Structure formats: C-alpha cells, structure tokens
Amino acid sequence: MASSYLRPTSLDEALASLQAAHAAAGTSSGGRLPVILAGGTDYYPARVGRALDDDILDITAIPDLRGLAENGDHWRIGATTTWGDIAAAELPAHFDGLKQAARAVGGVQIQNAGTVAGNLCNASPAADGAPMLMAMRARVELRSAAGRRELPLADFITGNRRTTLLPGELVTAILVPKPKKPSASVFLKLGAREYLVISIAMVGLVLEVEDGIVAGAGLAVGACSAAAMRLPWIESELTGRRLNEALANRVKAAHLDALAPIDDIRADAAYRRAAALTLVRRAILALAKQQKRN
C-alpha cells in the first residue's frame, strides 16, 4: 500500500484522522494505523537503509500540543514540547533534575527536535526523560475521539518499547503535580562518556524538605530494567529523616532488588546494579550538599 503523510493543524483534526484510520483498520479494506510522528529522532534512525512506507500522522503543526504552563495544582508539558524547550525554560527548583535530563538527551540538534512525549512513547529502557518524570510523579494525558483519560507514567510505560497507548489514541500532555513542600531534584546518568551516549544507569530523585526533614521523596531508576522503575521502599526509607550526607548510607543494595538489569555491550547486569546503588547515594548527597549551601 502507498504511504500517506498528514500534518494536521488542530487536535480535533488529528483525532478525527486517527479515528478514521482506526475504523478502516478494523475492516476488510486493508486500512492501517498511522505512525504518530513528533520529532522523528527515533523514527528515522531506526529505518536507515529501507523504504519509508508507513502512513504518517505528523503532529508538530498543532500549536496546542507544545509548551509549558502552570495550571492550578500541576504543570502541563505539551506532548510536542522539545527537550530544548525544557532546558531553556524558567522553572522552579522542582524541575532542576528534568532540565539536567533534557541536556542529556543526545546533542543540541536532538534536544531541539526530540519531544518529551516522543521520548516516553518510544519506551526505550534507556529513555532519559522517564526516570526523572516518574520521580516527579508525572501523569500522562491521552486523548482520542472518544474522550480523555490520564494515568501515571509508571503505568503508561509497561516494558521495552511497550506502552498502554490504545489504537486511535494520542498523548497530548505530561502533567506534573506541584509538591506540597519546598522541593529540589537531581538527575544523574552514567554512560561510557559524558555526552551523546546511551545510559548504563540513571537516577531521578525529588525530595520535599521542611525544616531539614525529608517530607516526601520520589525516586526512579532507568536503564536497569525493561522500563524505568520507581523504588517506593527507598522513598519510604528517606521520608521522615533529616537530609544530610549520612542519609545516603541508609540506602542498601537490597533496596534495589526489584531492578532487573541485563548484560549488553555497554555493561553487565552486576555492574549496572552496583552503578544504580552508587548513583542513588550520589543523588542524595547532591541534594544534601545543596541544602547545606542554601
């Protein structure tokens, strides 16, 4: 079948196109669902050397899908907001870790084209955006012609290249709840070099602190399982304790038992597990030192 390319300029137009494609795919006419394209920084490299015969729905011309906005009890990150947008935005300290993650996504060219939702929908175990957003308790907003739903990011990404996105459905935004107490965050990434590298292990950490005591914690580890993973047992271990350098030592190897790292060309499983523990401890130390300076 010949491929098609659609670039709608409104969300309603995009959803109508998806609905029509979904209906056609369910008939004997041989219809198929289009590939939803935002930045294309994962789509095109994966198809080098072969014909591009997919039907494409390019959502980059929909203005309502791009940008960051404060909205009541949360911030809204539009689906086609780029990592360059995140890195350059004036945001509170709660977002410091996400800005660090944004600067770790490829080079500047990739950051200026690659989108937040695209990074999550691609669902790579090493997706740089996932651990930090999970630690921030982000939720994913999904729309279809039938309506709207949202769910935690941790429930949206279900495995390596797997999500709960339904046929005819589109990610429209990432919703980040506001912390109840003053907060700080940090993102740490280990690779074979500092930049332009796929992760060996990553950690995103958010701490809400009041009077020197951790009032709430969000922690996620990436590149050490089929999908980035929240570690609530470490979050519980940190909560209610004084934020100081000694707190890092409360995290033990057993706290990371739920991780399922693999052996690959970048590192073996044992190294990944040890690296994740070290990164978690370093993240706590970084926020403890930051509080001490403040």
Side-chain angles (χ1 to χ4, degrees), residues 28 113 122 138 155 165 175 185 262 266 291 294:
S28 59
N122 190 51
D155 295 336
L165 188 69
L175 309 176
S185 64
I262 62 170
R266 291 186 296 279
Q291 180 191 244
N294 294 341

Side-chain angles (χ1 to χ4, degrees), residues 247-259:
L247 184 60
N249 293 325
R250 298 196 67 87
V251 181
K252 308 298 183 184
H255 287 124
L256 281 73
D257 282 351
L259 299 178

Side-chain angles (χ1 to χ4, degrees), residues 74-161:
H74 67 274
W75 288 276
R76 179 185 179 87
I77 304 173
T80 61
T81 302
T82 68
W83 291 107
D85 294 336
I86 298 288
E90 292 290 336
L91 293 165
H94 188 61
F95 282 85
D96 285 353
L98 190 61
K99 290 165 75 72
Q100 291 164 350
R103 297 186 186 100
V105 178
V108 173
Q109 298 94 329
I110 296 296
Q111 294 165 20
N112 288 341
T115 63
V116 177
N119 186 255
L120 302 179
C121 289
N122 190 51
S124 165
D128 291 315
M132 197 66 244
L133 284 166
M134 281 189 187
M136 298 171 82
R137 294 179 170 80
R139 299 179 66 82
V140 179
E141 179 188 84
L142 304 110
R143 292 280 299 274
S144 70
R148 173 191 179 278
R149 68 184 179 112
E150 62 178 70
L151 71 165
L153 176 58
D155 295 336
F156 175 72
I157 301 176
T158 58
N160 184 6
R161 312 291 180 176

Side-chain angles (χ1 to χ4, degrees), residues 207 212 214 234 237-238 241-252 255 280-289 291-292:
L207 294 180
V214 177
I234 297 182
E237 181 67 24
L238 301 179
R241 301 186 186 279
R242 183 162 296 280
L243 178 57
N244 54 33
E245 296 180 9
L247 184 60
N249 293 325
R250 298 196 67 87
V251 181
K252 308 298 183 184
H255 287 124
V280 170
R281 288 173 172 170
R282 287 180 180 176
I284 296 167
L285 285 172
L287 293 187
K289 289 177 181 177
Q291 180 191 244
K292 192 173 181 180

Side-chain angles (χ1 to χ4, degrees), residues 161-206:
R161 312 291 180 176
R162 299 201 314 271
T163 72
T164 55
L165 188 69
L166 300 175
E169 201 168 41
L170 179 69
V171 174
T172 49
I174 312 302
L175 309 176
V176 177
K178 292 182 178 179
K180 295 180 172 61
K181 306 291 184 181
S183 68
S185 64
V186 65
F187 171 81
L188 297 179
K189 171 177 175 173
L190 175 66
R193 54 184 183 268
E194 188 170 359
Y195 296 108
L196 297 171
V197 65
I198 299 174
S199 301
I200 292 172
M202 297 177 287
V203 166
L205 175 66
V206 177

